[in-house]
């Protein structure tokens, strides 16, 4: 067991430079033909926030203090997870020609997609801080915990993406199935509405079985309430993150030798 992990670590180090180049490529390609370039990482969430605030604030502003921040804390994290998983879902199949010609650890392509999405999401936090300044929101020391929350979402997204990328090799409809699933998931996550507005049973289900609830609720605690997340959110966030990673890696590693027969 020890020698197996040593070999895996040695292989990872060997292909580290390739991983870095793939991440750089993904970030550059996203804004290659854009006039504003990386500014869109900030501008896009700002524009969406303005539209959604106008649409939903009339319904929820009485229940939610500082609705723009409430909305952004949900959207920033959910969009990070959504984009990471959707970008990485076809990370193996899209590199089929390269994988057939030379040996490259297959997980490198999936890892690069999720990592580049995380970097792009960190850029988009600029919009969040701009809105905090514009709304004269208080900056609490607890916001330092945001680094931990981002890492939790990154690990969770990575595990889920490994699972999806492996399934996509064998079931090409997975892309469309997941698109429908992620849409339903978005509406079952309290991004733009207070969870208290839902029936009690649905609240219990979301709080117990929706991983994104843990991360978003923790983000709102450190920004809107200025307090550290409770043990349930902290422990639950890590449990969901590593459960997804273990499951995703297990399926990916178990099936990776069969990929070449289906891509």
């Amino acid at each position: 067991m020890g020698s197996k992990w040593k070999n895996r670590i040695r292989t990872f180090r060997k292909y580290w430079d390739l991983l870095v180049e793939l991440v750089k490529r993904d970030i550059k390609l996203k804004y290659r033909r854009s006039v504003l370039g990386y500014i869109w990482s900030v501008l896009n969430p700002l524009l969406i926030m303005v539209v959604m605030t106008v649409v939903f604030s009339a319904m929820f502003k009485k229940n939610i203090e500082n609705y723009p921040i409430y909305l952004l804390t949900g959207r920033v994290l959910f969009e990070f997870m959504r984009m990471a998983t959707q970008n990485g879902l076809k990370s193996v199949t899209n590199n089929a020609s390269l994988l057939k010609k030379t040996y490259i650890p297959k997980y490198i392509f999936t890892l690069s997609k999720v990592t580049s999405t995380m970097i792009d999401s960190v850029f988009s936090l600029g919009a969040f801080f701009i809105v905090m300044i514009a709304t004269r929101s208080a900056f609490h020391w607890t916001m330092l915990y945001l680094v931990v929350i981002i890492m939790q979402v990154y690990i969770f997204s990575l595990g889920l993406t490994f699972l999806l990328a492996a399934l996509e090799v064998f079931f090409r409809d997975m892309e469309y199935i997941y698109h429908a699933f992620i849409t339903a998931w978005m509406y079952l996550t309290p991004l733009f509405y207070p969870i208290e507005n839902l029936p009690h049973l649905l609240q219990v289900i979301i709080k117990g079985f929706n991983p994104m609830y843990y991360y978003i609720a923790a983000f709102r605690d450190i920004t809107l309430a200025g307090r550290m997340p409770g043990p349930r959110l902290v422990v639950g966030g890590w449990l969901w993150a590593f459960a997804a990673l273990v499951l995703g890696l297990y399926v990916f590693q178990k099936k990776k030798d069969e990929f070449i027969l289906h891509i």
Side-chain angles (χ1 to χ4, degrees), residues 21-240:
E21 290 303 317
L22 288 173
V23 170
K24 288 180 180 178
R25 182 199 65 177
D26 290 340
I27 295 174
K28 289 178 181 178
L29 283 177
K30 182 174 181 179
Y31 302 105
R32 183 175 57 180
R33 298 185 184 279
S34 170
V35 175
L36 295 178
Y38 298 113
I39 296 176
W40 278 112
S41 293
V42 175
L43 193 58
N44 186 56
L46 272 178
L47 293 174
I48 294 174
M49 184 275 298
V50 169
V51 172
M52 295 188 75
T53 298
V54 171
V55 172
F56 293 111
S57 62
M59 290 186 285
F60 303 126
K61 67 181 180 181
K62 293 181 181 179
N63 306 83
I64 301 173
E65 185 179 353
N66 202 343
Y67 187 75
I69 295 298
Y70 182 90
L71 177 63
L72 266 181
T73 49
R75 275 198 56 83
V76 165
L77 293 185
F78 196 89
E79 281 299 294
F80 170 16
M81 184 276 297
R82 185 185 70 84
M83 292 301 297
T85 51
Q86 289 188 331
N87 289 342
L89 186 144
K90 302 184 74 173
S91 56
V92 175
T93 54
N94 282 347
N95 290 282
S97 58
L98 184 58
L99 289 171
K100 289 177 180 179
K101 293 177 181 178
T102 183
Y103 173 77
I104 297 175
K106 300 171 183 65
Y107 67 82
I108 287 291
F109 299 103
T110 307
L111 180 59
S112 70
K113 288 293 184 182
V114 178
T115 303
S116 62
T117 304
M118 180 189 70
I119 294 172
D120 189 52
S121 298
V122 170
F123 289 154
S124 70
L125 283 174
F128 173 75
F129 291 117
I130 289 173
V131 173
M132 285 200 71
I133 295 171
T135 56
R136 297 181 180 179
S137 302
F139 284 79
H140 305 284
W141 69 268
T142 52
M143 291 177 64
L144 295 172
Y145 189 75
L146 178 57
V147 176
V148 176
I149 297 173
I150 291 174
M151 186 54 60
Q152 289 177 326
V153 179
Y154 173 77
I155 295 171
F156 174 78
S157 301
L158 186 60
L160 183 55
T161 307
F162 276 131
L163 175 63
L164 292 170
L167 293 176
E168 172 68 12
V169 173
F170 302 98
F171 310 103
R172 298 304 170 91
D173 289 341
M174 184 55 59
E175 176 184 4
Y176 308 106
I177 295 172
Y178 186 65
H179 178 75
F181 176 80
I182 199 73
T183 301
W185 192 354
M186 179 185 70
Y187 287 110
L188 286 172
T189 305
L191 303 182
F192 47 82
Y193 60 83
I195 193 170
E196 291 77 17
N197 284 20
L198 299 176
H200 177 71
L201 178 59
L202 192 53
Q203 289 186 43
V204 172
I205 293 173
I206 290 174
K207 290 180 178 181
F209 301 101
N210 186 341
M212 292 308 299
Y213 168 79
Y214 287 79
Y215 308 126
I216 292 170
F219 194 7
R220 286 170 176 161
D221 274 350
I222 65 174
T223 53
L224 292 171
R227 62 171 181 258
M228 289 296 291
R232 182 175 182 274
L233 294 179
V234 175
V235 176
W238 284 118
L239 286 177
W240 277 111

